[in-house]
Amino acid sequence: MNDLSPAPATRGPVYRALDLASRLCITVAGIQLVTLIAIFGWLVFGRYVLNDTPTWVEQAALLLVVWITFLGGAAGVWNKAHLSIDFLREMMPLPIRVPLRWIAVIGVIIFGCYLAWQGYELSDKTWRRRIPMLGIAEGWRAVPMAICGVLSVLFSLYHLVTLARGQDPLEH
């Protein structure tokens, strides 16, 4: 933590709420990952021991992977652990580095808005179809995309405010 970052005890309710949302994403994605492993265990058991392959496992796995990926991606935006090539930016002198940080955060906001919009559109357009073998709405595959977009925007707006205050958003 640098000198500009607030100590954990002094962080405000917005920070705590966003951090809680990120932790919730990680927790839900973790539970889904354990579920994914368990259902693949059931697939192997059913196929090789019972000689009766559970056909729903593939569709459930595809659904879980989408949720795990997007929830983890949203949490990555908050924790600044998402895919980025920041080592070049951070090697630059401060007068160049600061505007590049602004551009990066604004870029994530724009991408998050687009992701939320397209996730909503895709979910809305596919809601009436059913996922084979599961019988639930196909739109559930796009819901995590919209959630990730909204959370990425919220997390990045917080990082933008942190930058505007002259603090380093790369540090929590």
Side-chain angles (χ1 to χ4, degrees):
M1 188 175 310
N2 68 20
D3 295 335
L4 299 174
S5 296
T10 64
R11 293 192 175 129
V14 173
Y15 175 90
R16 290 191 302 274
L18 293 175
D19 193 56
L20 178 64
S22 172
R23 289 173 190 256
L24 184 62
C25 285
I26 291 169
T27 301
V28 171
I31 291 168
Q32 291 171 332
L33 186 58
V34 170
T35 303
L36 182 67
I37 293 166
I39 65 171
F40 271 110
W42 178 250
L43 173 75
V44 171
F45 181 78
R47 179 177 291 163
Y48 296 108
V49 175
L50 301 177
N51 200 26
D52 184 23
T53 303
T55 55
W56 56 269
V57 170
E58 181 183 350
Q59 291 299 322
L62 290 171
L63 183 64
L64 285 171
V65 165
V66 170
W67 277 86
I68 292 165
T69 302
F70 281 110
L71 291 178
V77 170
W78 175 248
N79 294 314
K80 289 156 303 290
H82 54 83
L83 284 177
S84 67
I85 305 173
D86 57 2
F87 69 92
L88 291 174
R89 180 188 65 217
E90 297 307 313
M91 288 179 12
M92 299 287 181
L94 194 59
I96 297 172
R97 186 177 13 184
V98 171
L100 289 176
R101 285 182 181 170
W102 279 85
I103 291 168
V105 173
I106 291 168
V108 173
I109 291 170
I110 292 168
F111 179 74
C113 287
Y114 186 74
L115 193 64
W117 172 46
Q118 290 300 309
Y120 169 77
E121 288 288 320
L122 185 60
S123 178
D124 186 50
K125 286 182 173 41
T126 59
W127 201 261
R128 289 161 224 20
R129 288 191 307 230
R130 299 283 167 216
I131 298 175
M133 310 294 170
L134 297 181
I136 62 173
E138 182 78 36
W140 282 109
R141 292 188 205 263
V143 168
M145 187 172 146
I147 292 170
C148 177
V150 169
L151 288 174
S152 294
V153 169
L154 292 175
F155 295 157
S156 295
L157 285 172
Y158 183 87
H159 295 321
L160 199 64
V161 170
T162 312
L163 265 176
R165 291 181 176 167
Q167 297 170 331
D168 187 355
L170 298 176
E171 306 239 352
H172 276 310

